Amino acid sequence: YHSSFFPVTGIKGNSLHLMHFIASLTTVLVIKRMLDMYKNILVPVDVYETSLADKALQHAQFLAQSASGDIHLLHVMPKFSAELTRGFISDARKMDEYMINNSKEKLSDLVKKLNLPEERVHLHVRSGNVRDEVIKLADELAAGAIIVGSRNPNIQTHLLGSEAASIVRYAHVPVFVIR
């Protein structure tokens, strides 16, 4: 048994004790860093097809609970072109308002399925291209991850790609695709 003093740490003992201490500290720091990644989790959902969201929400809830993080639910509505709405501007605004309110209600229903305090779940409704809006919001939130529900692949999604595949391809943060 060799006893020596390590002046840097102030630990008295053999080098094996120091190695165990450093390994434990490194493990704790790695876990803390991993959990810090999940402080903001973005979950894009189609409020008109919530079956895809259920499994993604379970995974997001697990990560959010583990990291004391927040979940951001996002629904992206299609953007109507000016040509389509010309002459119907007031009706288009009413329709847009209705769609936003309806989407928020449906997102609120999804929140009820989560076992998280309401202040840790945030609702976002945007209009535009799904991939672009997901990536833009992920960047704005400094999201640690995006969790997307996806169907099992079929010939159509293999040939054309899917929203999930497009998000995976262009996102700047890790993307979990849940089936």
Side-chain angles (χ1 to χ4, degrees), residues 1-4 6 11-24:
Y1 178 79
H2 174 70
S3 178
S4 59
F6 299 99
I11 297 173
K12 186 172 180 172
N14 65 24
S15 59
L16 188 59
H17 287 116
L18 179 62
M19 288 189 314
H20 284 293
F21 172 76
I22 291 171
S24 298

Side-chain angles (χ1 to χ4, degrees), residues 156-174:
Q156 184 181 8
T157 57
H158 279 299
L159 293 175
L160 301 175
S162 66
E163 294 293 352
S166 185
I167 292 167
V168 168
R169 193 173 300 120
Y170 293 99
H172 307 123
V173 298

Side-chain angles (χ1 to χ4, degrees), residues 150-158 179:
S150 180
R151 292 181 187 80
N152 289 326
N154 59 27
I155 191 67
Q156 184 181 8
T157 57
H158 279 299
R179 294 193 177 145

Side-chain angles (χ1 to χ4, degrees), residues 22-42:
I22 291 171
S24 298
L25 181 60
T26 302
T27 303
V28 167
L29 293 174
V30 166
I31 291 171
K32 182 185 179 327
R33 185 161 185 230
M34 285 174 43
L35 290 177
D36 284 345
M37 286 176 53
Y38 303 117
K39 291 295 182 190
N40 282 315
I41 301 164
L42 178 57

Side-chain angles (χ1 to χ4, degrees), residues 30-102:
V30 166
I31 291 171
K32 182 185 179 327
R33 185 161 185 230
M34 285 174 43
L35 290 177
D36 284 345
M37 286 176 53
Y38 303 117
K39 291 295 182 190
N40 282 315
I41 301 164
L42 178 57
V43 183
V45 296
D46 181 347
V47 296
Y48 300 103
E49 195 170 342
T50 57
S51 61
L52 288 178
D54 289 339
K55 286 183 181 176
L57 285 172
Q58 290 172 6
H59 286 269
Q61 177 176 288
F62 173 78
L63 286 175
Q65 286 173 330
S66 300
S68 299
D70 289 2
I71 294 176
H72 294 264
L73 298 178
L74 169 65
H75 174 68
V76 180
M77 303 182 318
K79 194 171 218 154
F80 296 109
S81 71
E83 292 83 34
L84 283 176
T85 58
R86 191 176 323 154
F88 302 99
I89 297 298
S90 66
D91 290 338
R93 283 191 193 120
K94 287 178 188 172
M95 181 63 166
D96 199 39
E97 228 174 82
Y98 170 78
M99 297 286 287
I100 290 169
N101 290 334
N102 188 297

